[in-house]
Amino acid sequence: MAKRRIFTVGFDLPGDDFEHVPFRSNQTLLDADVILFEPTLGDFSSIKSYSGKPLLTETSSFATKEQLDHWRSEIAAAVNAGKIVVVYLAEPTECYRYTGEKNFSGTGRSRVTTDIVTTISSYEAVPNIKNVNAKKGTEIRVEKDAGYIKPYWSDFSAYSPYEAEIEGDFGRVLLKSRTGDRVVGAAIHGVKGFLIFLPPLRYDEKKFVRHNSKTDESFWTDEAQKFGKRLVSALASLADTLMQSTQVTPVPAWALESRYRLAKENELEAAISTCTADISQLQEKKNGLEAALGAAGSLRGLLYEQGRPLESAIIEALILFGFEAKPVSDGKSEFDVVFVSAEGRCLGEAEGKDNKAINIDKFSQLERNIQEDFSREEVSEYAKAVLFGNAYRLQSLDKRPAFFTDKCVSAAARVHAVLVRTPDLFGPAKYLKENPHDADYAKQCRDVLFVTEGEVVAFPATPIGDANELAESPPQDGDSKRSVEVDPENEP
């Protein structure tokens, strides 16, 4: 029995014969011979709910959807390439996600932004399943088409309670609930490969996993290792049986001559070439969109970044405010940012701290830079000093203490410098990026930087309030969902 490479995606199995692939991975499945896949949404981020289910954050919404699309494509490609893919039918996970679409109503401070949301399911990663229902049970009936999985089922049925009932166009129904006649196991035999749906493997963790409290590590027990060896053997035997059923003689060279070709083959090859070209163009478009997505969200660096990325986000915000802003590095002087407008000229230094406040050291550097800048021949007046700080940058905003130390605040008051908490830049900059023609608000943001002296700047509130609602996405391709606005009083 040939040794096969086995991937497990979305879950772990005991033993070195299984190669665990995290859900958040771009790993291709074509590197494996047998793929064991358990539908999941992975570790997603959610800070509120909608209609009784978690609502993924905007970032998690798009990342999770992209990951599901990746695995759906990889599963299809693996089956077409002659691999064996076993999907273990775990209980479906369902949430809501942002679609990226928004509706707007009202004007000025009464304007309401309605985010469009839709459901997202772990089974979106699985092709050929039209519907899945969360149903649990242990009474399972083996169907007549399930002959080739009987050795596997004989060993592992005791570890295989069903958690989901499925509907779809299956070539073979393998397992049904003993009552209710619901499909809980099925298979699709492709031209080369196989897509098999089976109940998930469930074991007693107390018997299979041990935890070392001293090292805070977990490891598989001997019983678990034996279970893994038996499973590998059963899967290898299943793979051999399936592959033998599809063995065909390779086409000899002489049989490929044009006189033996059928017209339909030429048509299909032309269609495949067109698809390949389309895929290449779409991949280029996708790469461009991903680069644009990264650039579109760069302002978020004001919330959590440090170093060059933080400086770039600050410069972007200042340009949105109407400043001419850029770093200075000419071999003689090096300043994080110099920004100029009709109201005046400023010089800024930026600092991000993981778990500390911005201290006097950075302010001292700002003072030295102000003096160095003034000594330049082309400068006739002192620039206004601005210290941009992103303190405790890895903590959520509501949990961060004071951004600047007492010494730093005292020094700012002495020289009339401005202290700016970089997260405070985000709201105004976001508004101006989405409303670039509001010159009046941009000027208000510039003005407040010049009138503030010796303290933390307080930017003006954006003309559009923070009122926000959610709505389900409109019907798509027969989808029964409808667009529904949420009453602000009941909004999660």
Side-chain angles (χ1 to χ4, degrees), residues 54-138:
L55 172 63
L56 307 190
T57 62
E58 290 188 85
T59 299
S60 190
S61 290
F62 296 105
T64 303
K65 180 65 168 65
E66 186 176 32
Q67 204 65 57
L68 293 172
D69 290 344
H70 166 73
W71 290 126
R72 187 181 185 91
S73 174
E74 283 297 317
I75 290 173
V79 174
N80 290 335
K83 313 295 183 179
I84 296 171
V85 180
V86 178
V87 175
Y88 283 118
L89 302 170
E91 182 177 0
T93 303
E94 292 187 348
C95 298
Y96 277 89
R97 69 174 178 88
Y98 290 95
T99 64
E101 300 176 8
K102 298 177 184 288
N103 286 336
F104 302 97
S105 60
T107 58
R109 292 191 178 276
S110 63
R111 186 181 184 185
V112 174
T113 301
T114 303
D115 290 299
I116 307 300
V117 301
T118 189
T119 54
I120 185 170
S121 167
S122 54
Y123 275 80
E124 290 179 28
V126 183
N128 298 96
I129 290 183
K130 292 183 176 179
N131 192 36
V132 59
N133 294 307
K135 298 289 182 181
K136 293 188 177 183
T138 57

XYZ file of all heavy atoms in Angstrom, residues 54-138:
654
model
N -23.518 36.265 15.464
C -22.376 37.189 15.465
C -22.285 37.937 14.140
O -22.536 37.373 13.072
C -21.164 36.252 15.649
C -21.724 35.018 16.275
C -23.108 34.864 15.725
N -21.921 39.209 14.210
C -21.654 40.017 13.021
C -20.146 40.221 12.942
O -19.543 40.821 13.834
C -22.373 41.361 13.111
C -22.043 42.391 12.025
C -22.449 41.883 10.650
C -22.720 43.731 12.319
N -19.541 39.700 11.892
C -18.095 39.834 11.743
C -17.715 41.298 11.557
O -18.476 42.077 10.977
C -17.601 39.033 10.530
C -17.982 37.549 10.448
C -17.210 36.881 9.314
C -17.705 36.830 11.748
N -16.549 41.658 12.040
C -16.045 42.996 11.779
C -15.835 43.150 10.274
O -15.793 42.163 9.531
C -14.708 43.238 12.490
O -13.736 42.306 11.988
C -14.853 43.071 13.993
N -15.692 44.389 9.808
C -15.530 44.607 8.368
C -14.288 43.891 7.837
O -14.331 43.238 6.795
C -15.470 46.099 8.068
C -16.795 46.803 8.285
C -16.775 48.240 7.810
O -17.014 48.469 6.612
O -16.528 49.120 8.647
N -13.183 43.995 8.577
C -11.961 43.322 8.126
C -12.150 41.810 8.095
O -11.792 41.137 7.124
C -10.780 43.685 9.041
O -10.566 45.087 8.997
C -9.514 42.966 8.612
N -12.730 41.262 9.155
C -12.949 39.821 9.230
C -13.970 39.361 8.186
O -13.877 38.248 7.667
C -13.415 39.426 10.628
O -13.424 38.036 10.795
N -14.933 40.220 7.851
C -15.948 39.874 6.850
C -15.302 39.525 5.520
O -15.592 38.489 4.918
C -16.922 41.037 6.655
O -17.744 41.220 7.776
N -14.420 40.389 5.067
C -13.818 40.184 3.753
C -12.743 39.099 3.795
O -12.615 38.311 2.853
C -13.263 41.499 3.220
C -14.345 42.517 2.977
C -14.525 43.581 3.842
C -15.216 42.385 1.918
C -15.534 44.502 3.644
C -16.231 43.306 1.699
C -16.394 44.370 2.564
N -11.981 39.037 4.876
C -10.939 38.009 4.981
C -11.552 36.615 5.035
O -11.059 35.676 4.391
C -10.082 38.263 6.228
N -12.637 36.463 5.789
C -13.280 35.151 5.914
C -13.927 34.730 4.601
O -13.819 33.578 4.179
C -14.331 35.173 7.038
O -13.701 35.576 8.259
C -14.948 33.799 7.230
N -14.604 35.665 3.927
C -15.222 35.354 2.632
C -14.162 34.938 1.618
O -14.332 33.969 0.871
C -15.985 36.573 2.110
C -16.675 36.360 0.753
C -17.779 35.324 0.866
C -18.672 35.299 -0.371
N -17.961 34.879 -1.593
N -13.042 35.640 1.596
C -11.964 35.300 0.672
C -11.405 33.918 0.980
O -11.098 33.140 0.067
C -10.858 36.357 0.755
C -9.758 36.160 -0.266
C -8.727 37.270 -0.240
O -8.488 37.825 0.841
O -8.173 37.591 -1.307
N -11.300 33.579 2.270
C -10.777 32.267 2.643
C -11.726 31.152 2.231
O -11.303 30.099 1.739
C -10.543 32.223 4.159
C -9.510 31.213 4.590
C -8.114 31.517 4.082
O -7.568 32.576 4.340
N -7.529 30.589 3.346
N -13.027 31.360 2.408
C -14.013 30.366 1.975
C -13.951 30.152 0.466
O -14.008 29.010 -0.017
C -15.419 30.796 2.392
C -15.712 30.815 3.896
C -17.067 31.457 4.158
C -15.684 29.408 4.481
N -13.824 31.235 -0.282
C -13.716 31.123 -1.741
C -12.453 30.354 -2.129
O -12.460 29.572 -3.089
C -13.693 32.513 -2.380
C -15.042 33.226 -2.276
O -16.053 32.544 -1.992
O -15.072 34.461 -2.450
N -11.375 30.609 -1.397
C -10.110 29.911 -1.668
C -10.276 28.401 -1.521
O -9.894 27.632 -2.409
C -9.029 30.417 -0.709
C -7.794 29.558 -0.662
N -6.866 29.505 -1.679
C -7.351 28.681 0.299
C -5.912 28.658 -1.359
N -6.170 28.148 -0.166
N -10.881 27.978 -0.409
C -11.004 26.538 -0.171
C -12.000 25.893 -1.140
O -11.788 24.758 -1.575
C -11.410 26.268 1.274
C -10.323 26.587 2.260
C -10.400 27.398 3.344
C -8.969 26.098 2.240
N -9.194 27.464 3.995
C -8.297 26.672 3.346
C -8.263 25.246 1.393
C -6.959 26.413 3.617
C -6.921 24.995 1.670
C -6.284 25.563 2.765
N -13.055 26.598 -1.495
C -14.009 26.055 -2.465
C -13.316 25.797 -3.803
O -13.490 24.745 -4.412
C -15.184 27.023 -2.640
C -16.313 26.471 -3.506
C -17.430 27.480 -3.673
N -18.549 26.919 -4.397
C -19.583 26.316 -3.836
N -19.635 26.211 -2.512
N -20.560 25.818 -4.570
N -12.515 26.772 -4.228
C -11.778 26.620 -5.475
C -10.751 25.492 -5.382
O -10.594 24.697 -6.319
C -11.081 27.945 -5.815
O -10.239 27.806 -6.938
N -10.060 25.396 -4.248
C -9.028 24.366 -4.078
C -9.629 22.966 -4.039
O -9.059 22.016 -4.588
C -8.239 24.634 -2.800
C -7.226 25.756 -2.924
C -6.140 25.447 -3.950
O -5.638 24.294 -3.964
O -5.817 26.339 -4.743
N -10.786 22.816 -3.395
C -11.433 21.506 -3.342
C -11.817 21.053 -4.751
O -11.575 19.904 -5.147
C -12.662 21.537 -2.418
C -12.215 21.673 -0.958
C -13.516 20.280 -2.590
C -13.348 21.885 0.020
N -12.422 21.953 -5.521
C -12.812 21.617 -6.892
C -11.589 21.261 -7.733
O -11.600 20.278 -8.492
C -13.578 22.779 -7.518
N -10.510 22.046 -7.584
C -9.295 21.790 -8.354
C -8.670 20.456 -7.966
O -8.173 19.705 -8.830
C -8.297 22.927 -8.142
N -8.693 20.136 -6.685
C -8.107 18.879 -6.216
C -8.861 17.673 -6.784
O -8.248 16.690 -7.240
C -8.115 18.836 -4.690
N -10.174 17.736 -6.767
C -10.971 16.622 -7.321
C -10.711 16.483 -8.815
O -10.521 15.368 -9.328
C -12.470 16.841 -7.037
C -13.312 15.778 -7.743
C -12.741 16.807 -5.535
N -10.673 17.604 -9.522
C -10.417 17.553 -10.974
C -9.025 17.029 -11.290
O -8.790 16.495 -12.376
C -10.598 18.946 -11.586
C -12.047 19.384 -11.603
O -12.950 18.562 -11.605
N -12.271 20.691 -11.602
N -8.093 17.206 -10.332
C -6.714 16.744 -10.543
C -6.509 15.297 -10.115
O -5.382 14.791 -10.160
C -5.752 17.655 -9.784
N -7.586 14.625 -9.678
C -7.466 13.215 -9.325
C -7.225 12.937 -7.861
O -6.849 11.822 -7.489
N -7.429 13.928 -7.003
C -7.245 13.733 -5.563
C -8.523 13.186 -4.933
O -9.600 13.230 -5.520
C -6.878 15.050 -4.888
C -5.787 15.840 -5.594
C -4.454 15.133 -5.584
C -3.386 16.016 -6.238
N -2.051 15.357 -6.217
N -8.371 12.713 -3.701
C -9.517 12.273 -2.911
C -9.741 13.297 -1.807
O -8.850 13.553 -0.994
C -9.275 10.882 -2.301
C -9.127 9.843 -3.414
C -10.416 10.496 -1.360
C -8.686 8.493 -2.934
N -10.913 13.908 -1.814
C -11.257 14.914 -0.810
C -12.396 14.372 0.039
O -13.470 14.041 -0.479
C -11.679 16.249 -1.451
C -12.029 17.266 -0.365
C -10.569 16.789 -2.350
N -12.151 14.251 1.325
C -13.186 13.827 2.271
C -13.615 15.050 3.071
O -12.800 15.663 3.766
C -12.679 12.728 3.220
C -13.774 12.344 4.213
C -12.212 11.507 2.436
N -14.879 15.416 2.946
C -15.420 16.530 3.714
C -16.164 15.952 4.910
O -17.146 15.218 4.753
C -16.378 17.397 2.864
C -17.013 18.485 3.728
C -15.633 18.011 1.692
N -15.668 16.252 6.102
C -16.324 15.792 7.325
C -17.404 16.808 7.695
O -17.121 17.977 7.947
C -15.302 15.638 8.449
C -14.466 14.382 8.319
C -13.085 14.434 8.146
C -15.069 13.123 8.362
C -12.322 13.272 8.027
C -14.322 11.952 8.239
C -12.949 12.043 8.077
O -12.211 10.890 7.948
N -18.644 16.338 7.714
C -19.814 17.206 7.810
C -20.057 17.689 9.240
O -20.969 17.246 9.931
C -21.045 16.476 7.266
C -20.919 16.012 5.806
C -22.080 15.102 5.438
C -20.861 17.218 4.873
N -19.215 18.634 9.664
C -19.361 19.230 10.995
C -20.591 20.123 11.028
O -21.098 20.569 9.990
C -18.119 20.029 11.350
N -21.078 20.404 12.222
C -22.217 21.303 12.375
C -21.898 22.642 11.713
O -20.824 23.208 11.944
C -22.508 21.516 13.859
C -23.703 22.409 14.131
C -24.008 22.547 15.613
O -23.272 21.933 16.417
O -24.964 23.251 15.956
N -22.783 23.161 10.865
C -22.491 24.420 10.170
C -22.381 25.601 11.124
O -23.101 25.676 12.123
C -23.678 24.584 9.214
C -24.774 23.750 9.793
C -24.103 22.609 10.476
N -21.470 26.501 10.829
C -21.319 27.759 11.564
C -21.848 28.887 10.686
O -21.426 29.018 9.536
C -19.843 28.026 11.902
O -19.320 26.931 12.661
C -19.689 29.309 12.701
N -22.767 29.677 11.227
C -23.350 30.772 10.459
C -23.221 32.091 11.220
O -23.413 32.138 12.435
C -24.814 30.504 10.138
C -25.013 29.355 9.150
C -26.455 29.219 8.707
O -27.323 29.862 9.326
O -26.718 28.470 7.741
N -22.863 33.130 10.503
C -22.746 34.478 11.059
C -23.310 35.460 10.039
O -23.827 35.072 9.003
C -21.270 34.818 11.334
S -20.447 33.765 12.535
N -23.189 36.730 10.361
C -23.464 37.783 9.392
C -22.148 38.479 9.078
O -21.247 38.558 9.912
C -24.467 38.801 9.930
C -25.907 38.367 9.769
C -26.541 37.617 10.754
C -26.626 38.696 8.612
C -27.860 37.208 10.607
C -27.942 38.289 8.457
C -28.557 37.544 9.448
O -29.854 37.135 9.282
N -22.042 38.975 7.852
C -20.851 39.714 7.430
C -21.259 40.978 6.686
O -22.348 41.063 6.104
C -19.962 38.862 6.524
C -20.566 38.574 5.151
C -19.581 37.850 4.238
N -20.175 37.540 2.944
C -20.165 38.366 1.888
N -19.600 39.561 1.986
N -20.721 38.005 0.748
N -20.369 41.951 6.703
C -20.560 43.162 5.911
C -20.290 42.843 4.440
O -19.351 42.113 4.109
C -19.611 44.271 6.366
C -19.939 44.848 7.718
C -19.307 44.379 8.877
C -20.878 45.865 7.846
C -19.602 44.916 10.123
C -21.181 46.408 9.093
C -20.542 45.926 10.219
O -20.845 46.449 11.456
N -21.100 43.408 3.541
C -20.895 43.198 2.110
C -20.020 44.287 1.496
O -19.551 44.133 0.364
C -22.243 43.203 1.363
O -22.845 44.499 1.488
C -23.178 42.146 1.937
N -19.822 45.394 2.219
C -19.087 46.526 1.669
C -20.008 47.553 1.030
O -19.574 48.652 0.663
N -21.286 47.201 0.891
C -22.252 48.140 0.316
C -22.899 48.961 1.429
O -23.090 48.482 2.548
C -23.325 47.376 -0.458
C -22.769 46.537 -1.611
C -23.849 45.725 -2.291
O -25.039 45.925 -1.965
O -23.517 44.877 -3.137
N -23.244 50.198 1.091
C -23.866 51.096 2.065
C -25.016 51.847 1.407
O -24.988 52.121 0.207
C -22.852 52.119 2.607
C -21.669 51.507 3.360
C -20.695 52.597 3.788
C -19.453 52.011 4.458
N -19.745 51.485 5.787
N -26.035 52.166 2.185
C -27.104 53.055 1.768
C -27.054 54.303 2.647
O -26.709 54.227 3.826
C -28.476 52.385 1.911
C -28.703 51.339 0.835
O -28.099 51.394 -0.234
N -29.570 50.374 1.114
N -27.419 55.445 2.081
C -27.386 56.692 2.826
C -28.765 57.344 2.795
O -29.455 57.336 1.771
C -26.355 57.654 2.232
C -24.958 57.102 2.203
C -24.456 56.507 1.048
C -24.153 57.164 3.325
C -23.174 55.984 1.026
C -22.870 56.653 3.307
C -22.379 56.054 2.159
N -29.167 57.879 3.931
C -30.437 58.596 4.001
C -30.276 59.794 4.913
O -29.461 59.793 5.832
C -31.548 57.684 4.531
O -31.234 57.215 5.837
N -31.058 60.856 4.657
C -30.951 62.058 5.460
C -29.772 62.912 5.037
O -28.976 62.541 4.170
N -29.638 64.068 5.667
C -28.537 64.978 5.368
C -27.973 65.548 6.662
O -28.599 65.506 7.713
C -29.019 66.149 4.481
O -30.081 66.841 5.164
C -29.514 65.651 3.132
N -26.768 66.103 6.536
C -26.129 66.758 7.682
C -25.991 65.828 8.871
O -25.687 64.652 8.741
N -26.253 66.355 10.069
C -26.083 65.551 11.270
C -27.142 64.478 11.424
O -26.999 63.566 12.231
C -26.070 66.466 12.503
C -24.855 67.353 12.572
C -24.737 68.035 13.909
N -23.526 68.848 13.962
C -22.327 68.378 14.271
N -22.193 67.090 14.537
N -21.271 69.176 14.308
N -28.232 64.586 10.673
C -29.275 63.550 10.740
C -29.063 62.465 9.696
O -29.879 61.564 9.558
C -30.659 64.189 10.529
O -30.750 64.768 9.239
N -27.950 62.560 8.974
C -27.676 61.554 7.952
C -27.402 60.202 8.594
O -26.657 60.114 9.567
C -26.471 61.982 7.114
C -26.202 61.071 5.923
C -24.985 61.543 5.157
N -24.772 60.736 3.966
C -23.725 60.875 3.158
N -22.805 61.779 3.443
N -23.592 60.121 2.099
N -27.994 59.152 8.047
C -27.822 57.797 8.576
C -27.190 56.926 7.504
O -27.636 56.900 6.355
C -29.173 57.188 9.012
C -28.996 55.728 9.417
C -29.760 57.988 10.165
N -26.136 56.246 7.872
C -25.485 55.290 6.981
C -25.972 53.891 7.321
O -25.883 53.463 8.474
C -23.951 55.348 7.134
O -23.512 56.671 6.844
C -23.282 54.374 6.196
N -26.500 53.193 6.338
C -26.984 51.837 6.549
C -26.013 50.858 5.897
O -25.829 50.867 4.681
C -28.388 51.641 5.940
O -29.279 52.594 6.511
C -28.901 50.233 6.217
N -25.347 50.055 6.703
C -24.441 49.022 6.190
C -25.258 47.812 5.756
O -26.113 47.341 6.493
C -23.431 48.608 7.260
C -22.412 49.689 7.546
O -21.675 50.072 6.633
O -22.367 50.151 8.706
N -24.981 47.312 4.577
C -25.669 46.127 4.065
C -24.913 44.887 4.527
O -23.702 44.761 4.317
C -25.761 46.148 2.533
C -26.370 47.476 2.054
C -26.582 44.983 2.030
C -27.761 47.746 2.581
N -25.612 43.965 5.174
C -24.994 42.738 5.664
C -25.710 41.536 5.063
O -26.842 41.633 4.599
C -25.033 42.654 7.212
C -24.307 43.835 7.825
C -26.469 42.594 7.720
N -25.039 40.405 5.082
C -25.627 39.159 4.587
C -25.079 38.004 5.401
O -24.100 38.157 6.147
C -25.309 38.960 3.091
O -26.066 37.860 2.572
C -23.827 38.655 2.871
N -25.691 36.848 5.280
C -25.225 35.695 6.042
C -23.960 35.114 5.422
O -23.707 35.276 4.231
C -26.305 34.596 6.097
O -26.708 34.272 4.753
C -27.505 35.047 6.893
N -23.183 34.444 6.246
C -22.002 33.719 5.777
C -21.971 32.389 6.509
O -22.212 32.319 7.716
C -20.713 34.527 6.011
C -19.508 33.814 5.394
C -20.478 34.810 7.491
C -18.240 34.672 5.388
N -21.714 31.320 5.778
C -21.752 29.963 6.345
C -20.446 29.238 6.080
O -19.810 29.430 5.034
C -22.909 29.168 5.732
O -22.797 27.787 6.037
N -20.070 28.396 7.023
C -18.853 27.595 6.844
C -18.945 26.688 5.622
O -17.931 26.310 5.041
C -18.597 26.753 8.096
O -19.732 25.980 8.440
N -20.166 26.349 5.191
C -20.332 25.446 4.057
C -20.217 26.150 2.712
O -20.326 25.499 1.668
C -21.654 24.685 4.173
C -21.489 23.454 5.040
C -21.484 23.561 6.420
C -21.281 22.198 4.490
C -21.291 22.445 7.234
C -21.088 21.077 5.277
C -21.092 21.204 6.656
O -20.898 20.098 7.444
N -19.970 27.450 2.710
C -19.692 28.131 1.456
C -18.352 27.676 0.875
O -18.069 27.918 -0.300
C -19.689 29.650 1.667
C -21.065 30.219 1.950
C -21.055 31.720 2.184
O -20.156 32.396 1.642
O -21.945 32.217 2.904
N -17.551 27.008 1.679
C -16.266 26.494 1.199
C -16.410 25.152 0.491
O -15.437 24.659 -0.095
C -15.293 26.338 2.377
N -17.602 24.571 0.525
C -17.794 23.205 0.026
C -18.635 23.209 -1.247
O -19.798 23.625 -1.218
C -18.465 22.324 1.094
C -18.583 20.886 0.597
C -17.680 22.376 2.395
N -18.087 22.750 -2.375
C -18.881 22.686 -3.605
C -19.874 21.530 -3.579
O -19.733 20.581 -2.802
C -17.825 22.469 -4.693
C -16.678 21.811 -3.995
C -16.692 22.334 -2.582
N -20.897 21.633 -4.432
C -21.866 20.561 -4.678
C -22.891 20.330 -3.571
O -23.722 19.441 -3.683
C -21.159 19.228 -4.994
C -20.318 19.303 -6.256
O -19.116 19.534 -6.178
N -20.957 19.146 -7.400
N -22.836 21.100 -2.498
C -23.874 21.014 -1.466
C -24.819 22.192 -1.641
O -24.411 23.344 -1.571
C -23.270 21.002 -0.047
C -22.537 19.686 0.207
C -24.366 21.191 1.001
C -21.972 19.556 1.611
N -26.092 21.900 -1.886
C -27.082 22.954 -2.105
C -27.670 23.464 -0.795
O -28.023 24.633 -0.680
C -28.210 22.433 -3.008
C -27.776 22.163 -4.446
C -28.961 21.729 -5.285
C -28.555 21.543 -6.744
N -29.707 21.092 -7.586
N -27.785 22.587 0.173
C -28.377 22.997 1.448
C -27.834 22.109 2.551
O -27.552 20.923 2.339
C -29.904 22.889 1.396
C -30.566 23.570 2.582
O -30.111 24.596 3.057
N -31.637 22.981 3.078
N -27.671 22.675 3.731
C -27.193 21.913 4.882
C -27.980 22.340 6.101
O -28.256 23.526 6.293
C -25.669 22.126 5.095
C -25.356 23.591 5.311
C -25.154 21.304 6.263
N -28.378 21.370 6.902
C -29.129 21.640 8.132
C -28.409 21.027 9.310
O -27.917 19.889 9.237
C -30.545 21.046 8.043
C -31.380 21.729 6.984
O -31.510 22.948 6.977
N -31.935 20.951 6.065
N -28.329 21.773 10.387
C -27.689 21.261 11.601
C -28.639 20.280 12.280
O -29.677 20.670 12.810
C -27.340 22.409 12.534
N -28.299 18.999 12.238
C -29.073 17.941 12.887
C -28.103 16.935 13.474
O -27.133 16.537 12.822
C -29.985 17.231 11.885
C -31.043 18.121 11.232
C -32.128 18.515 12.219
C -33.194 19.362 11.526
N -34.255 19.778 12.453
N -28.354 16.517 14.701
C -27.428 15.596 15.353
C -28.090 14.250 15.601
O -29.291 14.169 15.872
C -26.931 16.181 16.672
C -26.053 17.414 16.498
C -25.424 17.852 17.806
C -24.492 19.034 17.589
N -23.805 19.448 18.828
N -27.295 13.202 15.515
C -27.798 11.858 15.783
C -26.700 10.829 15.656
O -25.603 11.108 15.174
N -26.999 9.619 16.097
C -26.026 8.532 16.030
C -26.535 7.333 15.246
O -25.754 6.454 14.877
C -25.652 8.070 17.449
O -26.840 7.684 18.154
C -24.947 9.178 18.214
